[in-house]
Amino acid sequence: MTLGALFDLDGVLIDSERLYTKFWAEVGVRYSIPSPTFALDIKGTTLKDIYSKYFPDKQVQNTLTREIVDFEANVVYPVNEGVKRFLSELKYAGFKTAIVTSSNDKKMSRLFDQQPWMQDEFDVIITDSFVKHSKPNPEGYLLAASKIGVQPEHCYVFEDSLQGLLAGHNAGAGAVIGLATTLPREALEGKADVIFDSFKDISLNILPKI
């Protein structure tokens, strides 16, 4: 039986989440967003949904879009330690793999310019242009599972955000793996089937059986 591995991007595969958290935290302060955890609240959410919920004014949206473009044009996307080794392990074992991210296609193009090997490691890449609903809606993970030809219950989901972990569960994934890369372990407790600090700690033989 073929198994699947479905990965969030920021904070899971690449060490970028802290930069985005800082960016959005500053935006939240500047626009007087009342939630003190605004930057964490929106993790895993598409830009369209962020705008709809927090910034309905079109002029503000245009300003933020320009800022995001400038920010992302200068971001370096380092791959998290252990990711390459684990992806090789999955490929050797015959897994089908996918990225499921709220990022847009332009960002993914910049990422692949910096990390050209990465695009070839995945069978499917789901960006915000593929879905109508953000995590915790399971749409992205269900679509990825369908495109790789593996039932959700035969897929592992790897996530670092609360919205993402819930999306994995809502999709009926066989196991939802939490990465304590951007949130502390205690924040993920009870939200994932198992929690790891990084991919350095993960190998197929210690993942839950599905």
Side-chain angles (χ1 to χ4, degrees), residues 20-53:
Y20 280 95
T21 297
K22 182 175 183 292
F23 173 87
W24 283 109
E26 292 172 353
V27 169
V29 170
R30 190 175 355 130
Y31 288 94
S32 302
I33 302 298
S35 173
T37 58
F38 166 65
L40 300 179
D41 299 340
I42 62 173
K43 283 184 183 293
T45 305
T46 63
L47 188 59
K48 178 182 177 181
D49 283 354
I50 294 171
Y51 282 172
S52 175
K53 184 172 182 179

Side-chain angles (χ1 to χ4, degrees), residues 104-142:
N104 61 38
D105 294 326
K106 287 184 178 179
K107 174 184 170 182
M108 297 307 292
S109 179
R110 285 190 291 269
L111 169 62
F112 295 142
D113 284 342
Q114 293 180 21
Q115 305 288 350
W117 63 273
M118 188 177 248
Q119 190 167 12
D120 294 331
E121 289 295 319
F122 295 92
D123 298 293
V124 169
I125 297 169
I126 303 296
T127 65
D128 69 343
S129 64
F130 286 79
V131 298
K132 294 181 179 178
H133 306 288
S134 292
K135 302 169 185 176
N137 189 289
E139 181 183 5
Y141 282 119
L142 291 173

Side-chain angles (χ1 to χ4, degrees), residues 54-126:
Y54 296 99
F55 307 103
D57 184 272
K58 294 297 183 182
Q59 189 170 357
V60 172
Q61 291 179 12
N62 291 337
T63 298
L64 287 176
T65 297
R66 288 193 296 270
E67 292 180 5
I68 292 166
V69 169
D70 290 342
F71 168 74
E72 291 187 338
N74 295 292
V75 170
V76 175
Y77 298 112
V79 177
N80 277 326
E81 193 171 356
V83 166
K84 277 190 174 185
R85 187 267 312 157
F86 185 61
L87 291 175
S88 295
E89 188 177 350
L90 291 176
K91 181 172 285 190
Y92 182 79
F95 272 68
K96 296 292 186 180
T97 57
I99 294 175
V100 180
T101 177
S102 58
S103 301
N104 61 38
D105 294 326
K106 287 184 178 179
K107 174 184 170 182
M108 297 307 292
S109 179
R110 285 190 291 269
L111 169 62
F112 295 142
D113 284 342
Q114 293 180 21
Q115 305 288 350
W117 63 273
M118 188 177 248
Q119 190 167 12
D120 294 331
E121 289 295 319
F122 295 92
D123 298 293
V124 169
I125 297 169
I126 303 296

